[in-house]
């Protein structure tokens, strides 16, 4: 499944990886990711293939903006290298972000990822 593979790839970069948001009070560097949609892969006979496409936003947080950017760049390298698990391409350059409590610097980047259904 695309999400299980993505979670495993991101954990090679950072041990703290969470779907959607990090739990309240999470300390240190961490990565979150979430679905933003995607392009359905449906054949002319309305059947689904063994792959699906998702637009995924990956968010990296660390003590400083530069550290967060470096973490996001490491995540990008891992995601793009995981060709045995899925096909991924960035849809944007990184942009700055803050965590939900507005106290940890972050960067985010969106991807198109096609992987196992």
């Amino acid at each position: 499944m695309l999400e299980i593979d993505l979670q495993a790839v991101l954990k090679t970069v950072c041990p703290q990886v969470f779907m959607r948001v990090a739990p309240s009070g999470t300390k240190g560097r961490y990565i979150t990711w979430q679905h933003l949609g995607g392009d359905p892969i449906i054949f002319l006979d309305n059947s689904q293939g063994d792959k699906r496409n998702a637009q995924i936003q990956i968010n990296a947080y660390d003590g400083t903006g530069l550290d967060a950017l470096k973490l996001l760049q490491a995540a990008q390298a891992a995601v793009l290298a995981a060709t045995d698990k899925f096909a991924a391409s960035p849809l944007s350059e990184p942009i700055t972000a803050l965590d939900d409590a507005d106290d940890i610097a972050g960067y985010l980047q969106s991807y198109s990822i096609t992987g196992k259904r």
Side-chain angles (χ1 to χ4, degrees):
M1 179 180 226
L2 184 151
E3 292 80 3
I4 293 169
D5 289 340
L6 177 61
Q7 183 85 6
V9 167
L10 292 174
K11 280 189 174 265
T12 67
V13 174
C14 181
Q16 293 195 101
V17 177
F18 308 98
M19 184 177 180
R20 217 169 65 77
V21 297
S24 180
T26 299
K27 301 290 185 213
R29 58 191 289 174
Y30 63 91
I31 292 174
T32 63
W33 61 273
Q34 62 194 33
H35 284 268
L36 299 176
D39 294 318
I41 301 174
I42 306 293
F43 298 115
L44 293 176
D45 65 357
N46 287 330
S47 65
Q48 300 176 1
D50 63 342
K51 304 248 186 288
R52 52 190 277 271
N53 174 266
Q55 186 174 341
I56 302 285
Q57 177 181 301
I58 298 175
N59 314 288
Y61 301 97
D62 207 341
T64 69
L66 187 56
D67 290 337
L69 179 58
K70 289 177 184 175
L71 179 58
L72 184 63
Q73 289 170 331
Q76 178 181 18
V79 166
L80 295 179
T83 56
D84 61 323
K85 301 195 179 314
F86 44 67
S89 58
L91 298 175
S92 66
E93 283 294 317
I95 62 173
T96 58
L98 288 172
D99 73 328
D100 289 339
D102 289 340
D103 60 358
I104 299 176
Y107 269 84
L108 63 87
Q109 188 173 25
S110 297
Y111 295 83
S112 175
I113 300 177
T114 302
K116 295 179 215 159
R117 179 163 295 284

